[in-house]
Structure formats: structure tokens, C-alpha cells
Amino acid sequence: MATPRLVYDDDCGFCMWCVRWALRFGEFEPVGFSELSPDQQARLPDDYENCMHLLTDDAAYSCGEALAQAAERCGPVPRTVVGLARKLPRWEAIREKGYRWVADRRAIWGRYASAECPQ
């Protein structure tokens, strides 16, 4: 299997910090929105700039599910936490609401955790 591509907002310091964390613990190819190839962009939803994405050979995950899929690829502890969380009632709604809550406050989080370039 090819290395999963982690697609992120490369204008967001907090987003780049998150990608750096993922690269520290997992194996991903980081791809900023400004670096997307036409083929990669075609696999994403029209409003792709609203959240992160994870592209694998056979799937494209977006927003909270992209985060969960990426976390599961970052070692046994995140994999276990996500696995347990998936058993919660209404997990998908909780996951997406939580993702959106954090994503909508990126400027605030960026004051505390920010990076220039994830590579």
C-alpha cells in the first residue's frame, strides 16, 4: 500500500503543527491545499478547504473521520483510544462536532501550538 496522504491547510500554523505531530508518530505524505494535484483534488469534496483529509489507495476520508483514521495510524495508544471511541453511541456525530469545534477555533489554538512547515 502507498503511503497515505494527509491533506491539510498549509496557511494554518495550527494545522501544520498537527501534521508535524502525525508525521512524528505515523507515516504519511503531507500535502498542503496549495500543493494538491488535479487528481488528488478530484478525490476530495467540493468544499475540501473546510477540513483535513486522508487519502489512501482506496478511500478518501474527510474532517473528523480523517483525523480518526490518521490517529489510528500513529501507534498503539491512539489506535486503542479511537477503537474504544468508535464503540460510543453517536460516535460519528460526536467526532464531527468535536472536530468542527476545534477547527473553527484554529486561530486560538495556533497561539499555543503552531508550526511553519510540517516536512
Side-chain angles (χ1 to χ4, degrees), residues 6-24 30-35 52 106 109-110 113-119:
L6 195 54
V7 180
Y8 66 97
D9 181 352
D10 50 356
D11 281 334
C12 170
F14 177 69
C15 301
M16 289 189 279
W17 180 86
C18 292
V19 171
R20 269 196 179 177
W21 184 92
L23 292 173
R24 182 175 176 198
V31 181
F33 290 159
S34 67
E35 302 169 324
M52 69 178 286
R106 295 179 298 170
W109 308 126
S114 187
E116 288 298 316
C117 180
Q119 299 172 339

Side-chain angles (χ1 to χ4, degrees), residues 57-76:
D57 287 341
D58 48 350
Y61 304 99
S62 297
C63 305
E65 182 60 13
L67 178 60
Q69 289 284 332
E72 287 179 317
R73 290 167 167 81
C74 288

Side-chain angles (χ1 to χ4, degrees), residues 24-39:
R24 182 175 176 198
F25 295 102
E27 189 174 331
F28 304 96
E29 178 187 334
V31 181
F33 290 159
S34 67
E35 302 169 324
L36 283 170
S37 71
D39 290 341

